Amino acid sequence: MNRKSAALAALIAAAVLVPAAAPAVAAPLGGSAVAQGRPADRAADRAALQQALDAAVAGGAPGAIAEIRDERGTWQGVSGYADLAGRQRPQASDRFRAGSVTKSFTSTVVLQLVAEGRIGLDDPIERHLPGLLPNGDHITVRRLLNHTAGLTDFIELLLADPGAVQAAQHTTYTPEQLIGLAVQHGPKFAPGTSWGYSNTNYFVLGLLVEHTTGRSLSQEITRRILHPLHLRNTSLPGSDRLPGPQLHGYEWLAGPGAAPVDLTAFNPSVYWAAGGIVSTTSDLNRFYRALFGGELLPPEQLRAMQEMQQTDRDDHRTYGLGLEARPACADGSRVVGHTGSVAGYTTFSFTSKDGRRQLTLAVNASVTLPAAAGDAMTRLVTTALCDR
C-alpha cells in the first residue's frame, strides 16, 4: 500500500513510485534558521516558517532544508538530521538530489536550441533521431516537453518495488536501454490526444540535445545555465556520489519497523535528463529567478514554456514545457516551478505568479514519507508563497 498523503501526492510529480509503508521517525531535534533582510518586525513571520519546517520533521521526514526569498529578504531554515547514523544536523548549503526539477533545466536547454533555430518545437523527433521511437513522425519536441507524446514511463516499469530500487542503485543504464524498455510496452495513447507524465520523454530530449550539439547534456547544462548563473553547487553528475556537504537520502523500504536504507549514493543513469540534477536550495531559487526574469530564454520561448494545459491529475495542476503550475493559496493564485521525487529525496521549488516570492524545500525521504510530513510541507508552501 502506498502511504503517501493525498497532500504530498498532489505536490509531487513523481520520478519514482515505490509502494512501501511509512516510517516511524523521531521528533525533530529543533530547527535553526538564518534570516537576512528586515528581521526585527518580521520575527513572527519567520517563526511561522520555522515551525512549518519543524512540523515536517516531527511528522516523519528525517531532515529538511528550505530557502525562502520574498519582499522581507532571504530566509534559510533547517530541521532534523542530514545524517541519521551520525546524528548530523543539516546545513543550509547541503546538496541533495532535486529529482524532476531537472526537467526545467533540460527544457531550458531545448528551448535555447529552438531560439537558435537549430530545432523546432513542432519538429517530429524522427527528423532528428530517426528510428528511435515508433510513430516518431507524430511525436514532436513540444509533445515530449509537455508530456503529451504518449510514451510509457520506464520508471513505472523499472522501479516498481523496493528490491528494484536497490538494484538500480548500483546499475548503469544507457538512455537507449531505458527508452527501449518503455517502447517495448507500447504507448499509453496516441500522440497529442491526452496527457501522461513520463520520464521517458525527457530521456529522448536529452538525446536530442546531445545529437544537436555534439556535446553531453551535462556539458550543455553547465555551459548554458550553471556557469552563466554561477550555480557552483549544482551539477548533473556522472558519479553515484554527492559532492560536498549533503543530505543523506533515506527510505524505509522494508517497512516502518525496519532500519532505513541509505540511498545517498545512487547510480544517476536511471535519472539523467529527467531527474539527475544535484543542487542546493539557494541555487535552485537562483535558477528559477533567472529563468522567469528572462536571463535564460528570449520572450517567445519563455512564453511557450509557460503555456499551461490541463493534466490527468485531480489536484488542478497544469503543465507547460518543463514547468508545472498549481493553485496553492486561498485566493486560488498559482505557483509555478517544479517538484522532484527520487529515491531518498523530495524537492519543491516554486515561485509565486507575481515573481515576488520563492520557495525551495528539500527533505531527505520520498515515497515512504508519512502523511503528517506531507501535510506540513503543504503548509510550508502556503506560508511561504501566499499573502499573509
Side-chain angles (χ1 to χ4, degrees):
M1 177 179 179
N2 192 319
R3 302 283 184 87
K4 290 183 292 183
S5 70
L8 181 59
L11 281 170
I12 294 178
V16 177
L17 298 173
V18 182
V25 180
L29 181 65
S32 62
V34 177
Q36 303 165 16
R38 296 170 292 174
D41 57 346
R42 303 298 182 183
D45 174 81
R46 294 330 198 186
L49 294 173
Q50 185 64 55
Q51 288 168 5
L53 196 64
D54 288 341
V57 175
I65 304 174
E67 181 185 272
I68 288 98
R69 292 174 177 262
D70 58 20
E71 61 272 20
R72 299 162 176 84
T74 299
W75 178 88
Q76 295 176 323
V78 303
S79 190
Y81 293 103
D83 180 354
L84 290 175
R87 311 307 279 177
Q88 180 180 334
R89 301 297 311 286
Q91 302 177 54
S93 59
D94 280 350
R95 293 176 175 89
F96 51 85
R97 299 189 189 279
S100 287
V101 174
T102 305
K103 291 179 174 66
S104 295
F105 285 79
T106 300
S107 177
T108 297
V109 173
V110 170
L111 289 168
Q112 287 178 347
L113 293 172
V114 171
E116 293 164 11
R118 302 172 73 176
I119 59 176
L121 269 178
D122 296 310
D123 287 353
I125 199 65
E126 183 71 15
R127 181 179 303 171
H128 299 280
L129 299 171
L132 180 66
L133 299 177
N135 208 20
D137 285 330
H138 296 91
I139 296 175
T140 65
V141 173
R142 189 190 305 271
R143 287 172 175 168
L144 292 165
L145 286 166
N146 66 15
H147 297 296
T148 60
L151 297 178
T152 295
D153 189 350
F154 71 80
I155 288 286
E156 296 176 1
L157 306 173
L158 188 68
L159 303 183
D161 60 70
V165 172
Q166 290 183 277
Q169 184 179 10
H170 306 292
T171 304
T172 299
Y173 304 93
T174 67
E176 292 83 357
Q177 283 177 312
L178 296 176
I179 293 167
L181 176 64
V183 166
Q184 287 174 13
H185 283 258
K188 287 186 173 180
F189 50 82
T193 64
S194 188
W195 188 92
Y197 191 85
S198 176
N199 292 283
T200 309
N201 295 332
Y202 276 74
F203 270 54
V204 176
L205 292 165
L207 290 181
L208 175 64
V209 169
E210 295 191 339
H211 174 79
T212 303
T213 65
R215 287 179 287 268
S216 72
L217 178 63
S218 178
Q219 289 174 316
E220 287 300 288
I221 287 176
T222 298
R223 79 182 191 90
R224 290 171 175 270
I225 300 174
L226 306 186
H227 281 173
L229 298 183
H230 306 291
L231 304 182
R232 298 182 178 90
N233 296 315
T234 302
S235 62
L236 184 66
S239 166
D240 64 354
R241 301 292 174 178
L242 266 67
Q246 61 200 241
L247 280 177
H248 284 243
Y250 299 98
E251 300 292 352
W252 279 255
L253 297 178
V261 178
D262 190 325
L263 297 170
T264 310
F266 207 105
N267 191 304
S269 62
V270 74
Y271 300 139
W272 191 48
I277 284 286
V278 170
S279 192
T280 64
T281 56
S282 182
D283 271 12
L284 291 184
N285 276 343
R286 168 64 179 139
F287 164 68
Y288 280 113
R289 190 164 66 254
L291 177 64
F292 296 134
E295 294 182 45
L296 294 172
L297 292 173
E300 180 181 353
Q301 281 69 44
L302 185 57
R303 282 194 299 271
M305 194 179 198
Q306 297 180 84
E307 289 175 358
M308 301 288 170
Q309 62 178 344
Q310 295 301 313
T311 69
D312 62 0
R313 316 291 175 153
D314 60 3
D315 58 3
H316 305 291
R317 178 189 316 178
T318 56
Y319 203 91
L321 307 183
L323 289 176
E324 57 180 275
R326 62 187 70 232
C329 306
D331 63 0
S333 60
R334 291 180 170 264
V335 296
V336 184
H338 218 291
T339 47
S341 177
V342 294
Y345 299 92
T346 300
T347 305
F348 303 159
S349 195
F350 284 103
T351 300
S352 62
K353 192 66 174 177
D354 60 13
R356 294 187 298 117
R357 297 170 183 162
Q358 284 188 282
L359 160 74
T360 295
L361 164 66
V363 301
N364 49 348
S366 176
V367 293
T368 58
L369 271 174
D375 293 341
M377 295 166 77
T378 302
R379 289 194 296 274
L380 181 57
V381 172
T382 300
T383 302
L385 298 181
C386 299
D387 286 333
R388 52 195 187 273

